[in-house]
Amino acid sequence: MHYESPVREPLILGDKSYHDITVDVAKPIETTAPKSWWIAISISLVMFLWGVGCILYTIGVGIGTWGLNKTVGWAWDITNFVWWVGIGHAGTLISAVLLLFRQKWRMSINRSAEAMTIFAVIQAALFPGIHMGRIWLAYFVFPIPNTFGSLWVNFNSPLLWDVFAISTYFSVSVVFWYVGLIPDFAMLRDRAVKPVVKHIYSILSFGWGGKAKHWQRFEEVSLILAGLATPLVLSVHTIVSMDFATSVIPGWHTTIFPPYFVAGAIFSGFAMVQTLLIIMRKMFKMEDYITIQHIEMMNIIIMITGSIVGIAYITELFIAWYSGVEYEQYAFLNRATGPYWWAYWSMMTCNVFSPQFMWFKKLRTNLVFTFIISIVVNIGMWFERFVIIVTSLHRDYLPSSWSMFSPTFVDIGIFIGTIGFFFVLFLLYARSFPVIAQAELKTILKSSGENYKKLREKGHGHH
Amino acid sequence: MFEFTSKEKLFSMVLMAVGIIALVIGFTSAPSSVEDIAHHADGHAYVGDMQFTEGLGGGDGHAEHMLHQMQNRPWAALFHNAFFFLAIGLGALFFLAIQYVANVGWSVVLNRIMEAMGLWLVFPAIVIILVMIAGGMHMHHLWHWMEPGIMDKGSDNYDAIIAGKQAYLNFGFFVFRSLVYVAGWVWAIKLIRKNSLLEDNAADLSIYKKQIRIGAIFTVFFAVTSSMAAWDWIMSIDTHWFSTLFGWYTFAGIFVSALASMALITVYLKSKGYLEEVNENHLHDLGKFTFAFSIFWTYLWFSQYMLIWYSNIPEEVTYYMQRFDEYKAATITAIVLNFLVPFLLILPRESKRNMGLVAMAAIIVLVGHWIDSFVMIMPGTVGPHFGLGWAEVGGFFFFLGFAIYVIFTNLSKAPLIQKNHPVLQESKYFHQ
């Protein structure tokens, strides 16, 4: 069996048996929803419907309903897109990269983090779609043979690479997520009392029988998918960064963008996982599985990635000065002291300074503080994209066309709508899917469960 | 206990001696004046291509520039090898620090190897600082911005762009910064080593906790200084050029060189019958790390190259034009050795568990990164006058022998495996 040093903290608290885990994970699905769930989904639905209205208005009237102008042709739409894609990074990082690094603590959080990834990527994909104006021609983004003459995608454009990167990422994430779900769906199937529910979970679990051969194939597929998903964690935001960095716009064209965007994406993704899980563990009483140690680990990742992002900000500033290029220097001076200074300093405060609190164990194990910081980071990462996109565009090479951007109610409405949509999906998921990968979690009960750890200590005492 | 045999000692000393002799030949055969160049057969017909040489006017300047590049060659070779071998120690120290910070279990049986490698870094660092001081005394021209008059308005060779960097690129601050970097690195490894030895006789966790703290402090310090050292020592060679990714790109090379060396030393010690506790599972992980960071290096190489190529901005793209013109063979060889070979060789699980194949991959990756740092340093210092001559080979032999001597001596000074590391048992019972 896997040996674990006594210095390691338990990952499953309380006196749990395998059956207890089954019962605890199935409970949110088998019981009626708590009141807090109904309140949350009602608010989310209203936000979502408001967003749907604004999207329909945009499609009906046109992009003119947004605050864009001749100079700032990209603003909230692409900011929101990048923000959502970034959030979508934590799921795959947790399930694939942490799997490769043998981080057992991922088992309590990977399922929900992956769900979050999928729901976030759906929000992201909305924005390029509606920004096209004629959404009924959205299939034009794919290189499909057509009869419209010489219209064809541009393979030199990073926007097209984005289409490939994100659709690949989405597909692999869904498959990865689903494969992990199969034994858990089977568990729900076996427990279901109502025939209709039993039938649904039976279809969803693909006839899983829990045979040794099933497990062997399951593990093999998981490992292969982890290997495939790992480069995808890097490639998606790398290519998103190239949407900007291949240009010749000061503030956009900088070589550090690919790894720095990836670090920022992981940063914001973990912040969102933190936000969701702190609510969920309370709502569904999962405190024994998503422990303070789990929260602490995620806070440490937030601190590290936040600091990496901070180093990248400072590197950009320094190199802009060092380059001696007037436009580069002005772009950064304008960011920090120009009309959008407040956005820049919000970004700096939220992303670079606030995670530094996590150096203190007291703070990173404090739930309320963690929750606040997770929201602060989410806000900060939105501002980061806004700063990169709008401040670089609004004062371009031609001072005569300098301008400002201000969002209309439609811009704001669509953004709020995606937040609503995201939470609707997540809340529905939380009531119908096993929110913890219980089959996987059971594999560490004997090595990392609190009761078994205590038993071992006692055993040692007798020698 | 590891024993540094007299045979191994002799081998390392012979390497050093051969290296020093070759270096001396390299230094003495460099031309001392413009007239001297004519006598140099290896001054292989100067490529009359001025597009990459920076802002030189008439014929005299032209010849002098060529002279400087040829005079730079032994210095550049010394600096290049010092940097490459520094990377091995520095990368190992960073890896060791991370093992503590992240409470890693599997690697504990390898910690003493990392300590021995980390302790080596002070020697190449001293050489680098000496080369810097020699530059300040105008004994060579590795760093173009050190030229007298280049930042003085009204001087013949005044360069406005370089003058704009004076606040950062001036000799005093430059040397001071480097001293700070090196002092911090040396402080960290000395302290980690001291605690590690103390822990062998300790009974509680206090030293382990101390190590975690030192590891965390070092990691932060390294995150800043590794980038700054890369800007100072290497990026400022091509003084006009700049790239925000450069620091991280250099880090990737440093790190993977250290990982490959670590794998190589482990395999060597195993082959001599040491490190009983280390088995194919540990080797597998070393292989995975070497593989993963080879891919990571490639990712950063591609990111930097592709964005500069795509945007095609004159102040940036000249850097790669030179590397794909005069240095084409070396540039492409580096990519093949650092990406393609490890990718194909150690992707399969079985090859990562095979000592011979891991050692082979490690050697190839090390050669690849020696070439990569060559391509980073040479174009801006010796231009078209590069080659694989006395100084380059001599520098390599000298540092190789020196590194073997120091690292093996360090290994022989303490038991090869720590005694009271709290997660040592995880490493011993590690399987995958």
Side-chain angles (χ1 to χ4, degrees):
Chain A
M1 201 189 79
H2 170 73
Y3 170 80
E4 198 174 278
S5 163
V7 296
R8 308 262 184 223
E9 301 282 325
L11 291 170
I12 301 169
L13 299 181
D15 191 18
K16 296 275 189 265
S17 65
Y18 289 127
H19 182 65
D20 293 335
I21 297 179
T22 308
V23 172
D24 289 344
V25 173
K27 197 180 276 164
I29 303 161
E30 294 173 348
T31 53
T32 52
K35 211 175 176 184
S36 52
W37 186 86
W38 285 109
I39 298 170
I41 199 156
S42 309
I43 298 171
S44 308
L45 261 176
V46 171
M47 287 162 74
F48 174 41
L49 288 176
W50 177 244
V52 170
C54 289
I55 289 174
L56 290 176
Y57 181 61
T58 301
I59 292 170
V61 178
I63 299 300
T65 56
W66 297 358
L68 303 176
N69 56 52
K70 192 162 57 100
T71 311
V72 186
W74 258 12
W76 274 45
D77 42 10
I78 196 86
T79 301
N80 298 336
F81 163 76
V82 180
W83 189 70
W84 279 118
V85 176
I87 287 170
H89 268 62
T92 322
L93 187 99
I94 289 169
S95 49
V97 178
L98 295 188
L99 172 76
L100 296 182
F101 276 101
R102 296 191 291 266
Q103 297 296 304
K104 309 268 182 208
W105 59 277
R106 79 170 199 290
M107 290 174 183
S108 307
I109 55 170
N110 59 357
R111 173 69 42 75
S112 297
E114 282 176 59
M116 178 203 75
T117 289
I118 290 159
F119 303 149
V121 174
I122 291 172
Q123 309 312 320
L126 252 172
F127 285 97
I130 54 178
H131 193 185
M132 273 180 254
R134 283 174 283 179
I135 197 166
W136 51 94
L137 294 178
Y139 61 89
F140 262 44
V141 301
F142 296 104
I144 303 168
N146 60 62
T147 53
F148 305 106
S150 56
L151 281 176
W152 187 244
V153 293
N154 180 4
F155 282 101
N156 291 335
S157 165
L159 296 175
L160 180 67
W161 312 339
D162 245 352
V163 173
F164 300 141
I166 289 174
S167 51
T168 310
Y169 183 64
F170 185 76
S171 329
V172 173
S173 296
V174 170
V175 173
F176 200 4
W177 187 54
Y178 200 87
V179 167
L181 275 163
I182 290 173
D184 289 4
F185 278 144
M187 177 273 282
L188 291 173
R189 171 199 65 196
D190 297 343
R191 288 175 55 85
V193 195
K194 290 179 201 149
V196 180
V197 175
K198 204 177 188 74
H199 193 69
I200 291 173
Y201 282 119
S202 162
I203 293 170
L204 288 174
S205 59
F206 288 173
W208 175 267
K211 296 190 187 81
K213 198 72 200 164
H214 292 178
W215 282 112
Q216 185 245 333
R217 286 184 180 135
F218 173 83
E219 287 191 3
E220 218 155 284
V221 170
S222 300
L223 205 61
I224 289 170
L225 284 173
L228 284 175
T230 301
L232 288 177
V233 176
L234 284 116
S235 75
V236 175
H237 235 57
T238 291
I239 288 171
V240 169
S241 83
M242 286 170 183
D243 292 344
F244 307 101
T246 49
S247 71
V248 291
I249 293 176
W252 283 14
H253 174 70
T254 171
T255 50
I256 207 169
F257 257 29
Y260 142 59
F261 263 51
V262 172
I266 294 165
F267 178 56
S268 68
F270 266 90
M272 189 57 104
V273 174
Q274 199 77 280
T275 311
L276 293 175
L277 290 189
I278 287 177
I279 300 172
M280 198 181 82
R281 74 195 280 279
K282 181 116 184 94
M283 202 183 264
F284 296 139
K285 303 196 172 48
M286 296 283 183
E287 284 98 338
D288 287 342
Y289 304 102
I290 301 165
T291 67
I292 296 292
Q293 198 197 343
H294 288 88
I295 307 275
E296 186 183 357
M297 293 291 198
M298 289 194 274
N299 277 334
I300 291 174
I301 292 186
I302 288 174
M303 178 185 81
I304 294 170
T305 45
S307 305
I308 292 174
V309 167
I311 288 184
Y313 291 163
I314 293 162
T315 301
E316 280 191 314
L317 269 179
F318 171 76
I319 299 289
W321 168 79
Y322 176 90
S323 72
V325 179
E326 194 187 344
Y327 304 106
E328 280 289 326
Q329 291 174 343
Y330 181 74
F332 284 89
L333 190 73
N334 182 44
R335 269 185 197 180
T337 62
Y340 285 112
W341 64 270
W342 47 271
Y344 182 81
W345 291 106
S346 306
M347 162 189 110
M348 275 289 185
T349 314
C350 297
N351 294 348
V352 186
F353 301 126
S354 77
Q356 304 306 328
F357 287 114
M358 297 306 180
W359 282 97
F360 305 102
K361 194 175 172 89
K362 257 216 172 95
L363 293 175
R364 66 173 184 252
T365 50
N366 180 315
L367 278 179
V368 177
F369 186 76
T370 300
F371 187 74
I372 294 169
I373 292 288
S374 76
I375 303 278
V376 165
V377 170
N378 282 319
I379 295 171
M381 284 308 289
W382 190 88
F383 270 113
E384 181 201 285
R385 279 61 175 252
F386 180 79
V387 165
I388 292 172
I389 292 156
V390 174
T391 65
S392 300
L393 285 178
H394 88 119
R395 291 190 167 173
D396 59 7
Y397 291 105
L398 271 180
S400 59
S401 49
W402 285 6
S403 79
M404 297 288 287
F405 171 84
S406 48
T408 63
F409 81 95
V410 186
D411 283 302
I412 300 168
I414 294 174
F415 180 49
I416 289 175
T418 54
I419 296 176
F421 190 15
F422 174 75
F423 276 97
V424 166
L425 290 172
F426 195 82
L427 287 163
L428 290 175
Y429 146 84
R431 293 271 299 119
S432 51
F433 282 56
V435 291
I436 286 178
Q438 54 93 27
E440 219 183 338
L441 192 68
K442 283 172 181 168
T443 62
I444 59 162
L445 178 63
K446 285 195 172 159
S447 56
S448 310
E450 191 184 17
N451 47 352
Y452 285 93
K453 269 184 179 284
K454 276 193 183 143
L455 220 63
R456 263 199 303 276
E457 251 168 63
K458 242 193 214 160
H460 278 294
H462 287 301
H463 285 296
Chain B
M1 285 288 271
F2 168 74
E3 194 200 347
F4 190 10
T5 61
S6 50
K7 225 169 126 190
E8 288 163 339
K9 260 186 204 151
L10 186 70
F11 176 69
S12 66
M13 287 187 179
V14 168
L15 276 176
M16 273 193 269
V18 171
I20 288 183
I21 294 167
L23 268 173
V24 170
I25 297 173
F27 271 98
T28 49
S29 59
S32 52
S33 64
V34 175
E35 293 76 45
D36 217 14
I37 297 176
H39 304 298
H40 273 75
D42 70 330
H44 53 71
Y46 177 65
V47 188
D49 185 355
M50 285 294 287
Q51 66 174 328
F52 303 117
T53 55
E54 285 166 31
L56 284 165
D60 275 357
H62 194 140
E64 203 185 307
H65 186 68
M66 183 159 79
L67 172 69
H68 283 177
Q69 288 183 327
M70 292 169 80
Q71 284 175 334
N72 275 345
R73 215 178 126 176
W75 288 100
L78 184 67
F79 174 66
H80 163 229
N81 282 295
F83 173 75
F84 175 75
F85 281 92
L86 171 89
I88 289 169
L90 186 58
L93 168 57
F94 177 60
F95 194 69
L96 178 60
I98 292 199
Q99 304 311 300
Y100 278 109
V101 177
N103 306 322
V104 178
W106 73 271
S107 61
V108 178
V109 292
L110 304 171
N111 279 0
R112 284 279 148 88
I113 297 174
M114 299 175 214
E115 287 169 13
M117 289 167 72
L119 285 166
W120 147 254
L121 77 84
V122 62
F123 300 101
I126 289 171
V127 175
I128 288 176
I129 289 173
L130 290 178
V131 172
M132 248 173 224
I133 292 170
M137 292 159 73
H138 307 299
M139 291 163 76
H140 59 75
H141 313 270
L142 295 190
W143 291 283
H144 184 52
W145 54 268
M146 284 185 185
E147 293 303 298
I150 201 154
M151 299 192 187
D152 303 329
K153 224 169 194 164
S155 135
D156 280 348
N157 61 344
Y158 174 70
D159 184 316
I161 294 173
I162 294 177
K165 307 183 189 210
Q166 194 172 17
Y168 189 75
L169 294 182
N170 61 77
F171 184 70
F173 191 26
F174 184 68
V175 173
F176 171 74
R177 282 197 304 268
S178 297
L179 288 172
V180 172
Y181 311 150
V182 172
W185 301 338
V186 173
W187 166 82
I189 184 60
K190 293 263 184 205
L191 208 56
I192 290 178
R193 169 70 162 194
K194 195 183 108 196
N195 284 327
S196 158
L197 295 178
L198 280 176
E199 196 181 43
D200 281 357
N201 301 311
D204 60 359
L205 291 175
S206 63
I207 290 180
Y208 181 61
K209 286 182 179 154
K210 223 187 263 173
Q211 297 282 63
I212 294 175
R213 261 199 300 277
I214 300 165
I217 295 168
F218 171 75
T219 307
V220 173
F221 182 75
F222 179 77
V224 178
T225 51
S226 61
S227 277
M228 289 181 75
W231 302 335
D232 289 1
W233 299 349
I234 302 182
M235 196 168 85
S236 84
I237 289 174
D238 295 275
T239 312
H240 280 194
W241 185 75
F242 55 90
S243 165
T244 44
L245 187 51
F246 196 79
W248 293 0
Y249 170 72
T250 309
F251 158 74
I254 289 175
F255 197 46
V256 77
S257 306
L259 291 166
S261 313
M262 210 186 301
L264 202 55
I265 294 173
T266 307
V267 170
Y268 180 77
L269 291 176
K270 277 296 286 179
S271 74
K272 293 284 162 193
Y274 296 105
L275 293 176
E276 223 176 287
E277 290 84 348
V278 176
N279 55 39
E280 68 276 12
N281 294 298
H282 302 90
L283 195 68
H284 190 174
D285 268 12
L286 280 174
K288 278 193 244 179
F289 266 106
T290 308
F291 174 83
F293 280 89
S294 291
I295 308 295
F296 182 69
W297 173 87
T298 313
Y299 164 60
L300 295 187
W301 186 91
F302 177 76
S303 297
Q304 182 168 277
Y305 171 72
M306 195 279 284
L307 290 176
I308 287 176
W309 166 82
Y310 196 112
S311 297
N312 206 15
I313 300 173
E315 53 255 41
E316 289 181 355
V317 82
T318 46
Y319 182 84
Y320 282 110
M321 283 169 73
Q322 191 180 9
R323 278 155 182 82
F324 274 93
D325 185 8
E326 292 155 344
Y327 287 78
K328 192 169 191 174
T331 303
I332 289 170
T333 310
I335 298 164
V336 171
L337 298 188
N338 293 331
F339 170 61
L340 219 55
V341 174
F343 185 80
L344 297 175
L345 197 60
I346 51 173
L347 179 62
R349 172 186 160 94
E350 287 319 312
S351 47
K352 286 193 283 279
R353 298 171 78 86
N354 177 314
M355 295 221 276
L357 284 176
V358 170
M360 201 210 284
I363 291 171
I364 291 170
V365 166
L366 283 168
V367 171
H369 283 283
W370 190 86
I371 297 173
D372 178 49
S373 39
F374 186 89
V375 177
M376 286 158 87
I377 291 165
M378 294 301 170
T381 52
V382 303
H385 308 284
F386 68 94
L388 209 57
W390 288 107
E392 289 82 5
V393 175
F396 179 75
F397 278 1
F398 169 69
F399 277 105
L400 181 64
F402 197 4
I404 290 175
Y405 186 84
V406 173
I407 292 173
F408 279 27
T409 305
N410 290 334
L411 281 173
S412 70
K413 279 187 182 159
L416 277 181
I417 290 179
Q418 291 167 299
K419 284 203 187 83
N420 292 324
H421 195 297
V423 287
L424 174 64
Q425 299 304 321
E426 284 186 12
S427 190
K428 283 187 178 169
Y429 300 136
F430 173 57
H431 58 85
Q432 56 179 330

